[in-house]
């Protein structure tokens, strides 16, 4: 495969946990993978062992809630590769709290990262995919976003993921005829910093469907 034909992926929130495992698995099948990390130094440290192992991983600072940061990574991808074939919207936060008495500022931040972040990244990169007639967008959701399994203890998180599921349906309908497929998935309860050490699923199991 020539460099011009090599597929390019971007994974947000990818310096640890499920995101980092997805970066590894996509790179292992021959993709160039941009590792998006809100903290640039953490992204560099996460990418180091993968690059040392011969994988084509490019760390880049990405705060999905920051318009300028999204614009910078979009410019980087266009400049370096001229294409993006795969977008994995993984970055998320998981605040605690019921809906009554909730800290609305925290809820807004949750939506900025968990919903508007994926939306903005999709707006930035979907035109590149449409132009080439191919693209895969995966929005990482949660069982907390299912209307049949409500959890008041993480209300802002669940609401943001329910909205992400609906956004996925809307985008899939809009982009499907152009060769760009948009899906959402739930990795389950995974042993990560977010999921905790008692979670029953490994990061490999959580990343499997995404990859």
């Amino acid at each position: 495969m020539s460099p011009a034909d090599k597929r390019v992926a971007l994974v947000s929130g990818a310096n640890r946990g499920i995101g980092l495992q997805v970066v590894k698995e996509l790179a292992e099948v021959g993709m160039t993978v941009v590792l998006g990390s809100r903290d640039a130094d953490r992204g560099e440290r996460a990418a180091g062992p993968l690059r040392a192992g011969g994988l084509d991983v490019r760390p880049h600072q990405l705060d999905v809630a920051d318009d300028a940061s999204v614009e910078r990574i979009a410019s980087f991808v266009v400049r370096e590769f001229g294409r993006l074939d795969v977008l994995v919207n993984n970055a998320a936060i998981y605040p605690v709290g019921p809906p009554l008495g909730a800290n609305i500022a925290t809820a807004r931040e949750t939506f900025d990262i968990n919903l508007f972040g994926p939306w903005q990244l999709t707006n930035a990169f979907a035109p590149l995919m449409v132009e080439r007639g191919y693209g895969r967008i995966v929005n990482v959701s949660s069982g907390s976003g299912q209307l049949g399994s409500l959890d008041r203890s993480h209300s802002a998180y669940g609401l943001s993921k329910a909205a992400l599921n609906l956004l996925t349906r809307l985008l899939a309908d809009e982009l499907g005829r152009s060769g760009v497929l948009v899906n959402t998935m739930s990795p389950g309860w995974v042993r990560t910093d977010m999921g905790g050490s008692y979670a029953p699923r490994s990061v490999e199991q959580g990343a499997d469907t995404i990859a």
Side-chain angles (χ1 to χ4, degrees):
M1 181 183 293
S2 71
D5 293 329
K6 191 173 184 181
R7 285 182 174 167
V8 180
L10 166 63
V11 184
S12 68
N15 63 284
R16 58 184 173 87
I18 295 171
L20 182 57
Q21 181 65 26
V22 172
V23 168
K24 178 175 181 288
E25 293 188 20
L26 295 182
E28 285 177 339
V29 297
M31 293 188 188
T32 296
V33 186
V34 181
L35 186 160
S37 174
R38 184 161 54 178
D39 185 292
D41 290 339
R42 291 180 180 178
E44 289 282 352
R45 289 196 296 271
L50 301 180
R51 299 175 75 175
L55 299 179
D56 190 0
V57 176
R58 317 288 182 93
H60 197 286
Q61 194 277 334
L62 172 61
D63 180 348
V64 300
D66 181 347
D67 294 357
S69 180
V70 172
E71 290 172 5
R72 284 193 297 270
I73 202 167
S75 296
F76 167 78
V77 169
V78 171
R79 183 176 66 251
E80 291 293 315
F81 313 112
R83 64 189 292 171
L84 189 76
D85 303 282
V86 175
L87 171 62
V88 179
N89 286 309
N90 173 70
I93 59 172
Y94 187 60
V96 176
L100 287 179
N103 183 319
I104 298 301
T106 299
R108 287 196 182 101
E109 181 187 21
T110 304
F111 271 73
D112 281 343
I113 295 171
N114 297 4
L115 174 66
F116 295 119
W119 198 343
Q120 183 155 257
L121 281 170
T122 300
N123 282 343
F125 288 110
L128 275 179
M129 296 177 174
V130 171
E131 183 179 330
R132 298 183 66 87
Y134 177 89
R136 299 292 183 264
I137 300 171
V138 180
N139 295 325
V140 180
S141 188
S142 167
S144 297
Q146 298 282 343
L147 296 183
S149 57
L150 302 179
D151 180 359
R152 291 187 297 107
S153 65
H154 298 85
S155 56
Y157 177 79
L159 284 163
S160 70
K161 292 300 188 178
L164 180 64
N165 292 343
L166 178 55
L167 174 65
T168 301
R169 292 286 300 273
L170 296 171
L171 290 169
D173 182 65
E174 184 171 359
L175 294 170
R177 288 178 291 277
S178 65
V180 180
L181 303 184
V182 189
N183 285 281
T184 186
M185 61 80 65
S186 171
W189 186 15
V190 179
R191 290 189 298 275
T192 62
D193 289 352
M194 181 183 289
S197 60
Y198 294 104
R201 293 173 61 82
S202 67
V203 290
E204 291 81 5
Q205 290 172 313
D208 179 69
T209 297
I210 303 170

